[in-house]
Amino acid sequence: MALRHFLTLNDLSPSELHSIIARAIALKKSWRNGDVIQPLKQKVLAMIFEKSSTRTRVSFEAGMAQLGGSALFLSPKDTQLGRGEPIEDSARVMSSMVDMIMIRTFAHSNIERFAAYSSVPVINALTDSFHPCQLLADIQTYVEHRGSPQGKTVAWIGDGNNMCHSYINAARLCDFQLRIACPAGYEPDPQLVALNSARVTICNNPQEAVTNADWVATDVWASMGQEEEQNHRAAQFAAYQVDHTLMSLAKPDALFMHCLPAHRGEEVSAELLEDPRYSVVWDEAENRLHAQKALMLFLLEQLNA
Ligand code: CP
Ligand code: NVA
């Protein structure tokens, strides 16, 4: 029996990632065909959300229902976690009653502490530092539209945030080059960059990062928990909007991705976001469902491996 958590992409080997993506693509086809695939009958996923969510909540809850199981939505307002019950105690109690636990929280150390005391797989549904489930969907989307990302050039434009950190991990696992363009002072974690220096370069110039790229990605300028910095950041990031002018420097068949929710007119122009020649954001959002179904099946199978 192998208890496996998914706290960052680094919890998977490249070949495990590859097989999860292949399975996600297959599950999507079956789902579109109307096939009923319910290996998770009687399985329960607990979902702890300390931050808002549309895609993550709907995709995990729908995914569990489609696979024959069920999901519990737990907000800190309604559980003892929000009243200060220690994370370690909550982890031991919850994991004695459910089969998997998904957490969206602030400090990444919170999910590490929870996982250390959980007897069932724990899935990171976003922390301040990483958003690995989103990368499963992004990689699936690239593979579906363009094939393997190995050897490709990816440009990350904007904040060196949780999404950017997960792109750095993806660069290593998928073996692509990642060019990151951030305003000075908003670069990703230098230790993570140093660990991946063979594949990651940082610059402050979005044009340089995007030139001849195969895949361009961005995210909001102020993440959840940074709302009070919104106006200051909007001024700092003004030159980092991804629009048609910037995108025209990428390869002609480059794809544009955004994890959503998007702020049109800030990190992405409304025209680019809605331009299906480049933008695959709606496929990317839907793929959260399929990729996470494949992830949950993988984590539960590992328990019996
Ligand atoms: N991309 C993403 O995680 O969206 P939600 O915040 O709506 O879950
Ligand atoms: N960086 C964003 C991603 C939202 C899905 C945030 O953390 O708010």
Side-chain angles (χ1 to χ4, degrees), residues 106 117 150 169-170 174 203 232 301:
F106 291 87
Y117 283 82
Q150 185 172 27
N169 287 338
C174 298
C203 62
H232 180 67
E301 284 161 7

PDB file of all heavy atoms in Angstrom, residues 106 117 150 169-170 174 203 232 301:
ATOM      1  N   PHE A 106      -4.327  28.928   2.248  1.00  0.00           N
ATOM      2  CA  PHE A 106      -3.371  30.030   2.083  1.00  0.00           C
ATOM      3  C   PHE A 106      -1.947  29.457   2.120  1.00  0.00           C
ATOM      4  O   PHE A 106      -1.426  29.047   1.104  1.00  0.00           O
ATOM      5  CB  PHE A 106      -3.623  31.102   3.155  1.00  0.00           C
ATOM      6  CG  PHE A 106      -4.934  31.825   2.930  1.00  0.00           C
ATOM      7  CD1 PHE A 106      -6.133  31.327   3.445  1.00  0.00           C
ATOM      8  CD2 PHE A 106      -4.975  32.981   2.167  1.00  0.00           C
ATOM      9  CE1 PHE A 106      -7.343  31.974   3.213  1.00  0.00           C
ATOM     10  CE2 PHE A 106      -6.185  33.643   1.914  1.00  0.00           C
ATOM     11  CZ  PHE A 106      -7.364  33.136   2.450  1.00  0.00           C
ATOM     12  N   TYR A 117      -0.463  14.284   8.653  1.00  0.00           N
ATOM     13  CA  TYR A 117      -1.308  13.586   9.625  1.00  0.00           C
ATOM     14  C   TYR A 117      -2.509  12.889   8.997  1.00  0.00           C
ATOM     15  O   TYR A 117      -3.343  12.333   9.695  1.00  0.00           O
ATOM     16  CB  TYR A 117      -1.784  14.567  10.709  1.00  0.00           C
ATOM     17  CG  TYR A 117      -0.685  14.843  11.707  1.00  0.00           C
ATOM     18  CD1 TYR A 117       0.317  15.774  11.438  1.00  0.00           C
ATOM     19  CD2 TYR A 117      -0.630  14.135  12.901  1.00  0.00           C
ATOM     20  CE1 TYR A 117       1.348  16.000  12.329  1.00  0.00           C
ATOM     21  CE2 TYR A 117       0.392  14.357  13.798  1.00  0.00           C
ATOM     22  CZ  TYR A 117       1.382  15.289  13.515  1.00  0.00           C
ATOM     23  OH  TYR A 117       2.392  15.502  14.397  1.00  0.00           O
ATOM     24  N   GLN A 150       7.055  18.474 -24.779  1.00  0.00           N
ATOM     25  CA  GLN A 150       8.512  18.284 -24.615  1.00  0.00           C
ATOM     26  C   GLN A 150       9.268  19.088 -25.682  1.00  0.00           C
ATOM     27  O   GLN A 150       8.933  19.031 -26.863  1.00  0.00           O
ATOM     28  CB  GLN A 150       8.862  16.813 -24.751  1.00  0.00           C
ATOM     29  CG  GLN A 150      10.336  16.565 -24.476  1.00  0.00           C
ATOM     30  CD  GLN A 150      10.669  15.075 -24.415  1.00  0.00           C
ATOM     31  OE1 GLN A 150       9.985  14.266 -25.028  1.00  0.00           O
ATOM     32  NE2 GLN A 150      11.699  14.751 -23.682  1.00  0.00           N
ATOM     33  N   ASN A 169       7.522  23.849 -12.122  1.00  0.00           N
ATOM     34  CA  ASN A 169       7.573  22.396 -11.905  1.00  0.00           C
ATOM     35  C   ASN A 169       7.205  21.629 -13.172  1.00  0.00           C
ATOM     36  O   ASN A 169       7.797  20.584 -13.472  1.00  0.00           O
ATOM     37  CB  ASN A 169       6.630  21.992 -10.761  1.00  0.00           C
ATOM     38  CG  ASN A 169       7.164  22.387  -9.400  1.00  0.00           C
ATOM     39  OD1 ASN A 169       8.365  22.578  -9.235  1.00  0.00           O
ATOM     40  ND2 ASN A 169       6.287  22.529  -8.428  1.00  0.00           N
ATOM     41  N   ALA A 170       6.246  22.158 -13.910  1.00  0.00           N
ATOM     42  CA  ALA A 170       5.840  21.492 -15.162  1.00  0.00           C
ATOM     43  C   ALA A 170       6.978  21.498 -16.177  1.00  0.00           C
ATOM     44  O   ALA A 170       7.146  20.537 -16.942  1.00  0.00           O
ATOM     45  CB  ALA A 170       4.606  22.174 -15.744  1.00  0.00           C
ATOM     46  N   CYS A 174       7.788  18.013 -17.771  1.00  0.00           N
ATOM     47  CA  CYS A 174       7.436  17.842 -19.196  1.00  0.00           C
ATOM     48  C   CYS A 174       8.621  18.149 -20.094  1.00  0.00           C
ATOM     49  O   CYS A 174       8.518  18.000 -21.310  1.00  0.00           O
ATOM     50  CB  CYS A 174       6.291  18.759 -19.587  1.00  0.00           C
ATOM     51  SG  CYS A 174       4.779  18.433 -18.707  1.00  0.00           S
ATOM     52  N   CYS A 203      13.070  37.076 -17.180  1.00  0.00           N
ATOM     53  CA  CYS A 203      13.408  38.383 -17.747  1.00  0.00           C
ATOM     54  C   CYS A 203      12.320  39.359 -17.323  1.00  0.00           C
ATOM     55  O   CYS A 203      11.314  38.951 -16.747  1.00  0.00           O
ATOM     56  CB  CYS A 203      13.537  38.305 -19.261  1.00  0.00           C
ATOM     57  SG  CYS A 203      12.027  37.816 -20.093  1.00  0.00           S
ATOM     58  N   HIS A 232      -2.224  49.009  -6.664  1.00  0.00           N
ATOM     59  CA  HIS A 232      -0.776  49.158  -6.775  1.00  0.00           C
ATOM     60  C   HIS A 232      -0.229  48.203  -7.840  1.00  0.00           C
ATOM     61  O   HIS A 232       0.570  48.580  -8.698  1.00  0.00           O
ATOM     62  CB  HIS A 232      -0.124  48.871  -5.420  1.00  0.00           C
ATOM     63  CG  HIS A 232       1.368  48.990  -5.438  1.00  0.00           C
ATOM     64  ND1 HIS A 232       2.008  50.193  -5.630  1.00  0.00           N
ATOM     65  CD2 HIS A 232       2.344  48.046  -5.322  1.00  0.00           C
ATOM     66  CE1 HIS A 232       3.316  49.988  -5.613  1.00  0.00           C
ATOM     67  NE2 HIS A 232       3.548  48.690  -5.439  1.00  0.00           N
ATOM     68  N   GLU A 301      -5.767   4.158  -6.669  1.00  0.00           N
ATOM     69  CA  GLU A 301      -5.132   2.909  -7.130  1.00  0.00           C
ATOM     70  C   GLU A 301      -3.786   2.702  -6.438  1.00  0.00           C
ATOM     71  O   GLU A 301      -3.399   1.558  -6.155  1.00  0.00           O
ATOM     72  CB  GLU A 301      -4.926   2.948  -8.642  1.00  0.00           C
ATOM     73  CG  GLU A 301      -6.215   2.708  -9.419  1.00  0.00           C
ATOM     74  CD  GLU A 301      -6.138   3.182 -10.861  1.00  0.00           C
ATOM     75  OE1 GLU A 301      -5.050   3.578 -11.298  1.00  0.00           O
ATOM     76  OE2 GLU A 301      -7.168   3.144 -11.525  1.00  0.00           O
TER      77      GLU A 301
END
